[in-house]
């Protein structure tokens, strides 16, 4: 993916960049790899708001690159009104981008999205500053973002990274890592997870739960302590059993004082 150009500059079209029709064709075909509900091309072209928003964005982005800023913004506004997906025409989106369901997706002006990226409804690629310049996140190739996740600021989610549903990410994510929770916490990928043939893992429900794991470890530790305490209590009960009915005159209770047990100390019958 090419580096982000300055917001106020006019980027030069890459010589090796695919044409808009090739991009749109790839956008449609990739749906069949990532959504088992897709039945045919007509179904995808007519019933998928993510595809509608992406088609309009491809056109609006070309207009944006040519300096036609108001027409580009107006096209994006129309797409938002129809699809409920808000993609700024200045955002740079790679090949085979898939927005599943799509409702409530927001992608900011300086956001960059690599190839083979998948995001779900309610995702925000937002900024954390009012200053011009790079202020939105970058998603590298193969990233998957769960529904409702918020990725904020000029951060980078590395290649094949995953963001759990409803996570809030404000720091960089290394390649191949998973982020879950609020604020986002980096956890290692589970090597047992199944990878799709296209290299995109859609089993995002199998993301690890670091909070749940910590609680589980804490419960195991408590159980071990309770087991040791019960064993110690049983030992002490067996040791103090001969003192039944004997009260120490020093403390006023049946106790484990060696003098009491030996009968050498002051004691009286209970």
């Amino acid at each position: 993916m090419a580096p982000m150009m300055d917001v106020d500059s006019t980027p030069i079209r890459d010589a090796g960049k695919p044409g808009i029709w090739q991009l749109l064709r790839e956008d449609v075909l990739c749906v069949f790899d990532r959504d088992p509900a897709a039945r045919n091309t007509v179904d995808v072209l007519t019933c998928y708001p993510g595809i509608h928003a992406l088609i309009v964005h491809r056109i609006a982005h070309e207009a944006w690159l040519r300096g036609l800023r108001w027409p580009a913004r107006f096209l994006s506004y129309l797409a938002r009104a129809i699809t409920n997906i808000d993609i700024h025409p200045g955002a740079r989106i790679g090949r085979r981008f898939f927005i599943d369901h799509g409702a409530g997706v927001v992608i900011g002006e300086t956001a960059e999205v690599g190839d083979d990226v998948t995001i779900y409804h309610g995702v925000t690629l937002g900024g954390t500053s009012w200053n011009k310049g790079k202020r939105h996140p970058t998603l590298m190739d193969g990233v998957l973002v769960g529904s409702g996740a918020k990725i904020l600021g000029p951060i980078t989610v590395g290649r094949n990274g995953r963001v759990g549903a409803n996570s809030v990410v404000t720091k960089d994510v290394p390649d191949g890592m998973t982020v879950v929770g609020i604020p986002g916490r980096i956890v290692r990928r589970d090597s047992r997870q199944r990878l799709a043939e296209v290299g995109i893992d859609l089993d995002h429900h199998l993301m690890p739960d670091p909070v749940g794991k910590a609680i589980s470890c804490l419960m195991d530790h408590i159980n071990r302590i309770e087991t040791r305490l019960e064993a110690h209590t049983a030992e002490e009960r067996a040791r103090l059993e001969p003192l039944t009915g004997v009260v120490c005159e020093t403390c006023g209770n049946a106790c484990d004082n060696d003098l009491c047990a030996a009968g050498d100390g002051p004691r009286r019958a209970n």
Side-chain angles (χ1 to χ4, degrees):
M1 184 172 58
M4 186 69 192
M5 301 295 293
D6 183 79
V7 176
D8 295 328
S9 64
T10 303
I12 300 175
R13 184 185 181 89
D14 298 333
K17 181 180 177 181
I20 187 171
W21 293 112
Q22 181 179 349
L23 291 174
L24 293 176
R25 182 175 181 274
E26 292 178 349
D27 293 334
V28 172
L29 293 178
C30 79
V31 175
F32 297 100
D33 295 328
R34 307 181 208 177
D35 186 1
R39 293 176 174 80
N40 52 63
T41 303
V42 175
D43 186 18
V44 172
L45 287 175
T46 57
C47 302
Y48 278 67
I51 290 296
H52 301 157
L54 196 52
I55 290 174
V56 175
H57 172 75
R58 299 291 190 193
I59 299 172
H61 184 65
E62 289 296 322
W64 183 269
L65 295 180
R66 287 169 170 75
L68 304 175
R69 301 300 171 89
W70 183 87
R73 290 297 303 271
F74 188 68
L75 283 175
S76 296
Y77 168 76
L78 293 179
R80 177 185 178 184
I82 296 173
T83 66
N84 197 25
I85 298 174
D86 187 357
I87 307 177
H88 193 284
R92 297 167 61 88
I93 294 179
R95 305 168 71 169
R96 298 176 295 278
F97 180 51
F98 180 43
I99 305 175
D100 200 359
H101 299 291
V105 169
V106 177
I107 301 178
E109 177 185 5
T110 61
E112 299 179 73
V113 178
D115 299 335
D116 301 306
V117 172
T118 302
I119 66 176
Y120 287 79
H121 54 280
V123 170
T124 298
L125 306 184
T128 56
S129 171
W130 289 348
N131 298 324
K132 294 184 180 296
K134 177 64 172 172
R135 60 189 184 276
H136 297 94
T138 297
L139 308 185
M140 302 301 289
D141 299 343
V143 169
L144 184 146
V145 184
S147 59
K150 314 302 178 187
I151 307 177
L152 307 175
I155 63 175
T156 299
V157 179
R159 286 177 173 80
N160 300 318
R162 298 196 302 167
V163 179
N166 295 318
S167 299
V168 177
V169 184
T170 57
K171 297 181 180 179
D172 291 342
V173 180
D175 294 350
M177 302 299 282
T178 298
V179 176
V180 296
I182 303 174
R185 294 175 296 276
I186 297 176
V187 294
R188 289 191 176 275
R189 178 186 295 275
D190 187 348
S191 59
R192 295 171 297 178
Q193 290 179 6
R194 178 183 60 82
L195 294 179
E197 294 180 357
V198 294
I200 301 172
D201 184 5
L202 294 183
D203 287 334
H204 43 90
H205 62 289
L206 299 178
M207 288 183 177
D209 182 3
V211 175
K213 182 178 179 180
I215 294 176
S216 178
C217 292
L218 182 60
M219 294 299 297
D220 290 341
H221 184 64
I222 293 175
N223 290 334
R224 288 194 298 269
I225 292 177
E226 289 182 344
T227 301
R228 293 176 61 184
L229 181 60
E230 290 175 357
H232 177 71
T233 301
E235 293 175 359
E236 291 299 299
R237 184 179 295 112
R239 192 165 70 89
L240 296 176
E241 189 173 0
L243 298 177
T244 302
V246 177
V247 178
C248 176
E249 293 182 353
T250 302
C251 64
N253 298 297
C255 68
D256 58 351
N257 190 305
D258 292 338
L259 294 178
C260 291
D264 299 331
R267 62 181 180 176
R268 58 183 173 82
N270 188 7

